[in-house]
Amino acid sequence: MALSRFWGWFLIHIALFLSLCYAEDPFVFYDFEVTYITASPLGVPQQVIAINNKFPGPTINSTTNNNVVINVRNKLDESLLMHWSGIQQRRSSWQDGVLGTNCPIPPKWNWTYQFQVKDQVGSFFYFPSLHFQRAAGGFGSFIINNRPIIPIPFDTPDGDIVILIGDWYTRNHTALRKALDAGKGLGMPDGVLINGKGPYRYNDTLVPDGIEYETINVHPGKTYRLRVHNVGISTSLNFRIQSHNLLLAESEGSYTVQQNYTSLDIHVGQSYSFLLTTDQNASSDYYIVASARFVNESQWKRVTGVAILRYSNSKGKASGPLPDPPQDEFDKTFSMNQARSIRWNVSASGARPNPQGSFRYGSINVTEVYVLRNKPPETIDGKRRATLSGISFVNPATPIRLVDQYKIKGVYKLDFPNKPLTEPPKMETSVINGTYRGFMEVILQNNDTKMHTYHMSGYAFFVVGMDYGEWSENSRGTYNKWDGIARSTTQVYPGAWTAILISLDNVGVWNLRTENLGSWYLGQETYVRVVNPEATNKTELPMPDNALFCGALSKLQKPQDVSSSLATSIIEGRSKLFFTVLMISSTLFLVSR
């Protein structure tokens, strides 16, 4: 009897413990061990970056408003930062994982990221942001699911499938980095990977024997959600599946107007969700293709990723020619019109119950305008550099966010020009001074001969216009002020412009960059600094207790104590609470006797 009473008390207090732990938004925990492994995705053994011995890395699966805790153990021979591309880090730019906000994680150290995926849904990815490491891997998918009370604007799919596509070199990232440092280009990629694997042998001449390829297994008569991310270096890819339509449903956290495409151009850094209905007769397997765009097709034939879609009742292997790409090698108008056709679903609920279109961006007055122009790389102070509006960004030894926290003078300048410089280009740590709660118009003018995509951390911006030629004041007459897609990465065609609108409501220091990895490495980036003049934790959280220090603040850094990582602290804290509850339960039991 006494024992049963004790367990009654114990279970009651365990329930109390659990309610204390989970009364707020739930936590999800991940442990990332980042190492080198040897892999041969294109048939050539090479060093790649793996997470938990996997290439690509594991998918982070979360739900809106979850607190995500990721302990990263750096077992590389160089420093590391993980960047969560498209995750807005609301109130927590400290966790963004780029040099403007974080000191690097040294080799053999670990660092724990903790952030809330606040008011977001959708398909994103993560990658290492330093030292050209993304060219070696270290990337993976990041999913934010809807809360159950918020409906998705389509029937629940029968499955959820991640597809990571991207161009790939058989030289390792250090060799590619050295080529850029020496003023050279990277040349043509060696292939395109799909989920870290090389092409299916659709052609005996172009594809060597023995290459491992990706197979995606499906059942007939079902609908699957495909989350497709271009995690490559610089190549725009056309994605298509033989004999199947792709129903576009979401892009980087925004539900789109649902439209069928036989193929879609996915540019570097971009993410899309498609609904795939398995409605074919399965006479054989089907090709999944990711092929290079806007290049000489005969020269780039080997730069094609091919995977297999296999029905459970398939009657044989895929064979014959690949499905054709768009026939517009020298005319990018088709691709631009396709991009313009992607529209925001203004009636769908996003992460909140209210419709996406309830934020009427087209009726807000613009408070600041920046025209950002890029050009082909040029020589500055004897070095080959890439520029944005005539400035090649130099990352300071002390991250901008720490500089602000400790009020260090002279590290950066809040003088980024709102129009391209007319004087010779220069290397500067020059930052855009954004106005908190302002509404910024940014025109991305691509005067390079290559396609670029641009990404901004901390925000989903509205893509309101794009066209060929030079942007002018009159171009505003063509803007879509009703249902332009909200996303974090947009393409800018060569010799063309793209206009975006950004509501600056997220306090922090936010990276604005090209996703073309070579140009980013050579300085084509800046930061937008958004400060609330009223200091309050409601708009930005305090500096995390485990912040790393470097540069002018390196003396503040204590030696690494792995046991004191944030994840460990949280777990230990919960364990202490558990044992406290246990002791209280025991005491109450004894008293009750």
Side-chain angles (χ1 to χ4, degrees):
M1 181 66 180
L3 186 62
S4 64
R5 286 176 62 196
F6 168 75
W7 282 111
W9 278 110
F10 180 74
L11 292 172
I12 288 169
H13 288 90
I14 285 298
L16 172 64
F17 162 70
L18 291 174
S19 69
L20 287 170
C21 286
Y22 296 104
E24 297 181 357
D25 294 309
F27 281 78
V28 291
F29 294 89
Y30 287 87
D31 196 36
F32 278 15
E33 184 175 273
V34 186
T35 61
Y36 295 121
I37 63 170
T38 299
S40 307
L42 293 176
V44 178
Q46 63 182 121
Q47 176 183 273
V48 305
I49 295 175
I51 297 176
N52 301 343
N53 216 38
K54 294 181 178 180
F55 168 69
T59 293
I60 295 174
N61 205 316
S62 63
T63 298
T64 302
N65 295 344
N66 278 177
N67 296 288
V68 181
V69 181
I70 307 162
N71 188 47
V72 176
R73 287 183 280 172
N74 179 12
K75 293 199 170 183
L76 305 182
D77 57 1
E78 56 188 7
S79 58
L80 171 74
L81 279 175
M82 297 302 296
H83 175 60
W84 322 98
S85 188
I87 305 302
Q88 291 177 15
Q89 303 292 355
R90 301 200 71 83
R91 301 174 60 216
S92 59
S93 70
W94 297 103
Q95 309 290 328
D96 201 32
V98 287
L99 274 179
T101 53
N102 297 100
C103 290
I105 307 167
K108 299 181 181 178
W109 281 45
N110 73 297
W111 198 74
T112 304
Y113 293 85
Q114 181 179 348
F115 51 86
Q116 187 178 29
V117 287
K118 181 70 175 168
D119 293 333
Q120 278 192 274
V121 294
S123 309
F124 311 94
F125 68 95
Y126 62 84
F127 65 90
S129 64
L130 301 186
H131 309 309
F132 220 70
Q133 289 164 350
R134 176 161 143 185
F139 42 70
S141 175
F142 197 129
I143 295 172
I144 308 178
N145 301 293
N146 282 51
R147 291 175 291 163
I149 61 170
I150 308 295
I152 56 175
F154 43 83
D155 292 336
T156 302
D158 297 296
D160 203 299
I161 298 168
V162 169
I163 301 179
L164 303 172
I165 60 177
D167 55 3
W168 189 258
Y169 292 81
T170 54
R171 289 174 286 165
N172 67 22
H173 73 286
T174 56
L176 296 172
R177 194 169 70 207
K178 286 176 182 176
L180 291 171
D181 290 338
K184 300 174 183 176
L186 299 179
M188 188 169 66
D190 297 298
V192 169
L193 304 189
I194 298 181
N195 286 349
K197 298 174 184 177
Y200 172 79
R201 200 178 191 197
Y202 71 97
N203 181 303
D204 293 350
T205 304
L206 292 172
V207 184
D209 193 15
I211 288 181
E212 185 182 6
Y213 58 87
E214 177 75 337
T215 299
I216 292 174
N217 294 299
V218 294
H219 295 284
K222 303 290 185 181
T223 297
Y224 296 86
R225 182 173 182 170
L226 306 184
R227 302 177 189 261
V228 187
H229 312 267
N230 186 336
V231 297
I233 295 173
S234 63
T235 306
S236 296
L237 298 172
N238 181 262
F239 181 78
R240 54 198 186 274
I241 299 179
Q242 185 181 27
S243 302
H244 290 74
N245 283 325
L246 300 167
L247 182 63
L248 181 64
E250 177 253 336
S251 176
E252 295 158 27
S254 288
Y255 291 118
T256 66
V257 173
Q258 292 175 25
Q259 300 177 79
N260 272 311
Y261 296 88
T262 54
S263 70
L264 188 72
D265 290 344
I266 305 179
H267 307 280
V268 179
Q270 291 188 328
S271 301
Y272 289 99
S273 279
F274 302 102
L275 299 177
L276 175 77
T277 301
T278 50
D279 54 4
Q280 299 302 300
N281 62 16
S283 57
S284 67
D285 295 342
Y286 297 95
Y287 294 124
I288 301 171
V289 183
S291 60
R293 289 288 273 136
F294 319 125
V295 294
N296 184 308
E297 191 177 330
S298 60
Q299 291 180 7
W300 281 66
K301 267 192 173 181
R302 64 184 173 84
V303 188
T304 301
V306 183
I308 293 297
L309 182 74
R310 176 165 297 155
Y311 282 51
S312 56
N313 61 340
S314 174
K315 298 179 178 64
K317 293 184 176 181
S319 61
L322 301 180
D324 289 331
Q327 302 299 308
D328 63 340
E329 179 185 330
F330 302 106
D331 179 9
K332 302 176 186 65
T333 306
F334 170 84
S335 182
M336 182 180 283
N337 286 337
Q338 187 185 62
R340 287 168 171 159
S341 73
I342 298 170
R343 299 299 179 95
W344 208 28
N345 185 342
V346 295
S347 62
S349 294
R352 299 177 179 180
N354 50 306
Q356 292 181 149
S358 60
F359 184 81
R360 295 183 172 85
Y361 67 88
S363 61
I364 301 173
N365 291 328
V366 169
T367 57
E368 45 210 309
V369 180
Y370 281 83
V371 179
L372 307 181
R373 177 179 292 145
N374 77 327
K375 297 165 66 176
E378 49 197 319
T379 301
I380 307 175
D381 298 337
K383 296 181 179 179
R384 186 171 180 264
R385 300 286 296 180
T387 59
L388 203 55
S389 289
I391 295 176
S392 185
F393 190 82
V394 179
N395 275 292
T398 312
I400 297 164
R401 191 62 201 82
L402 276 176
V403 166
D404 284 352
Q405 179 74 14
Y406 286 86
K407 297 180 172 56
I408 303 171
K409 304 294 185 184
V411 174
Y412 68 89
K413 298 177 182 177
L414 279 174
D415 65 349
F416 198 93
N418 58 11
K419 293 182 180 179
L421 296 177
T422 55
E423 59 205 61
K426 57 184 179 181
M427 295 169 62
E428 290 273 359
T429 307
S430 181
V431 173
I432 292 174
N433 189 17
T435 303
Y436 177 57
R437 296 201 181 281
F439 198 57
M440 182 182 287
E441 177 185 16
V442 176
I443 294 91
L444 301 160
Q445 180 77 51
N446 183 2
N447 286 11
D448 199 347
T449 57
K450 298 178 180 178
M451 172 72 73
H452 279 264
T453 44
Y454 286 88
H455 174 91
M456 185 170 173
S457 293
Y459 292 95
F461 49 67
F462 298 95
V463 183
V464 294
M466 59 178 67
D467 205 351
Y468 287 99
E470 289 281 322
W471 179 89
S472 71
E473 301 277 344
N474 293 332
S475 302
R476 292 193 177 105
T478 67
Y479 284 5
N480 176 357
K481 292 191 174 183
W482 168 243
D483 61 354
I485 189 69
R487 62 187 312 165
S488 61
T489 310
T490 186
Q491 67 269 53
V492 192
Y493 292 85
W497 56 267
T498 296
I500 61 176
L501 296 176
I502 314 164
S503 178
L504 298 179
D505 62 347
N506 192 15
V507 170
V509 177
W510 305 110
N511 190 224
L512 175 58
R513 63 176 184 268
T514 178
E515 282 287 310
N516 180 306
L517 202 59
S519 295
W520 182 14
Y521 180 79
L522 295 176
Q524 197 175 109
E525 65 174 324
T526 186
Y527 284 82
V528 180
R529 180 176 175 268
V530 181
V531 175
N532 183 352
E534 298 179 13
T536 168
N537 288 348
K538 291 182 179 179
T539 56
E540 187 176 31
L541 296 171
M543 183 177 76
D545 292 338
N546 66 336
L548 295 173
F549 296 98
C550 54
L553 298 170
S554 55
K555 290 183 180 179
L556 298 178
Q557 183 59 54
K558 296 177 181 178
Q560 173 86 109
D561 179 3
V562 176
S563 66
S564 68
S565 72
L566 184 57
T568 305
S569 299
I570 291 171
I571 293 167
E572 285 179 350
R574 291 187 171 186
S575 298
K576 288 175 183 175
L577 181 57
F578 175 85
F579 285 111
T580 300
V581 170
L582 179 60
M583 292 301 294
I584 292 170
S585 300
S586 301
T587 303
L588 289 170
F589 166 68
L590 292 171
V591 169
S592 69
R593 295 185 68 190

